[in-house]
Structure formats: C-alpha cells, structure tokens
Amino acid sequence: MKKTILAMTILAGSSTAFAANDNGSGCGVGAMIFEGQSGVAPHVLAATTNGTFGNQTFGMTSGTLGCEVDQPISVAAADFLDNNMDKVARDMATGTGEALDTLANLMGISAEDSSHFKTVSHAQFATIFSSDSVHSSDVISALNQVMKQDEMLAKYAS
C-alpha cells in the first residue's frame, strides 16, 4: 500500500513538473475544463485530468479537444512532449506505441518512414533521453541530431 501511494505521489509530481514547465496544460479535456484559469492548481488539475483519461493523443491525432495540429511542427511536438514525456519515453524505449506514433506525426514523418523512425529512435533511446531530468527541448534537439545522421530521416530534421 505504501509503495502504491509513493508511486502515485511520484507520478503526480512528474505531472506537476511537466504542467509547470510548459506555457499551459496543452490541449485535451483537462485544458478545456480549466480553460481561462491561471495558477499552478488549475494547470495541475488539467494535466492530471488529461493524464487520467489519456485523451491528448486522441485529440492530437483527431484534431479535436482543442489540440491545434496546425502549429509549427517543432512547437506542436515540444508541446506534445511536455505533456506526454513519460509516454513517449516508454514508447521509444520499446520502439512502438501510440505516443511515439503521435510524435512522429507531429514531426511530419510520413507513414512510409514511420516504422524506420521508431526503429532509429528506439536504437538511440539512450542518446535521446540522456537523463531522467531531460526537458522536451533537449529531447527534440537530440532527436533532430539523431535524425540528421540517418539517411532516410535527415529530410525531417530541423
């Protein structure tokens, strides 16, 4: 029981860090419920709501729930990473998953190159997520460096 409470506290803390780190809670049901409110508590509650229901990925891929997919790719990918860092890291570590698919989509990776993107990002996971405290901008930068070194993915690097 104590381990469960500790795990939940750590997860809530990491969600809080991501919520405080970006310029908002992004999109999703949580962002819609707490729209227009400022301060740490509404952002934490919005991020927690989004995390609980896992709706941001759906919103990004469907263009609903206030998720703007028309933003510049680097901004949208960074915003997505800010709100889904743990999911992207988990998916990248395994080389598959919805969060990694969404990141590839936001970075403009075509469907035909998506599988290669997942393979390369999985193989370079330790380079891309170089520490436990890495920020989304560090991940984007490292991912771009990895992509620049890959013949097939270089065209997507910024």
Side-chain angles (χ1 to χ4, degrees):
M1 182 68 172
K2 290 181 180 178
K3 289 180 182 178
T4 302
I5 292 172
L6 177 62
M8 292 177 70
T9 302
I10 291 171
L11 284 173
S14 66
S15 294
T16 302
F18 291 129
N21 207 5
D22 68 9
N23 58 1
S25 54
C27 61
V29 172
M32 295 175 79
I33 292 172
F34 296 98
E35 183 177 4
Q37 297 183 29
S38 61
V40 174
H43 283 274
V44 169
L45 291 171
T48 303
T49 302
N50 286 339
T52 301
F53 294 105
N55 57 60
Q56 281 183 316
T57 304
F58 171 76
M60 292 278 189
T61 55
S62 65
T64 59
L65 302 175
C67 298
E68 305 252 347
V69 292
D70 295 332
Q71 295 177 9
I73 289 170
S74 60
V75 172
D79 188 44
F80 178 74
L81 270 172
D82 279 341
N83 294 297
N84 298 285
M85 187 78 89
D86 291 340
K87 292 177 185 175
V88 171
R90 183 189 61 229
D91 287 359
M92 200 174 283
T94 61
T96 186
E98 187 178 358
L100 190 56
D101 288 338
T102 301
L103 179 62
N105 186 33
L106 291 171
M107 294 188 77
I109 309 292
S110 70
E112 61 197 29
D113 293 336
S114 181
S115 178
H116 185 68
F117 170 78
K118 291 183 221 176
T119 300
V120 169
S121 64
H122 171 65
Q124 297 294 323
F125 176 78
T127 301
I128 297 166
F129 282 90
S130 58
S131 74
D132 290 339
S133 61
V134 68
H135 187 268
S136 64
S137 61
D138 301 325
V139 171
I140 291 288
S141 177
L143 189 55
N144 273 313
Q145 289 302 316
V146 166
M147 290 168 54
K148 283 180 183 176
Q149 296 171 3
D150 184 89
E151 189 174 310
M152 188 181 293
L153 299 176
K155 62 186 172 190
Y156 301 108
S158 56

